[in-house]
Amino acid sequence: LLRFDSGHPEGAGYASLVLANLSAAPQTVDASSLLARTGGLLTAFQDVTPDAAPLAFAPGVAATLAPGEVRILSAQRAAAPK
């Protein structure tokens, strides 16, 4: 679930990404395919899940979620190219 703080990604100051494994088996998440959907408008996502060690979430890194695990990630708008 990807949510921006405004109605459109172009006007967003930040975004939240919630990853949830609702299955009974571990699930691997391809960070590259999810990050591509943000359109390059955001900085790197940081794991802000309470009471959990940070999850590495970057292009080329596969993240595995345990059964029932939920992760909350946050990113800010990237600076405009000069």
Side-chain angles (χ1 to χ4, degrees):
L1 175 66
L2 177 62
R3 290 288 183 230
F4 294 92
D5 68 331
S6 69
H8 193 276
E10 290 288 333
Y14 67 90
S16 296
L17 177 64
V18 178
L19 304 175
N21 179 4
L22 305 179
S23 75
Q27 298 293 317
T28 300
V29 177
D30 177 10
S32 297
S33 65
L34 289 175
L35 293 172
R37 295 179 189 178
T38 68
L41 299 172
L42 304 168
T43 60
F45 277 89
Q46 301 298 315
D47 188 347
V48 295
T49 307
D51 302 322
L55 176 72
F57 196 77
V61 177
T64 301
L65 299 178
E69 184 174 10
V70 175
R71 290 296 184 136
I72 304 166
L73 301 113
S74 180
Q76 296 180 344
R77 181 168 185 87
K82 294 183 180 184

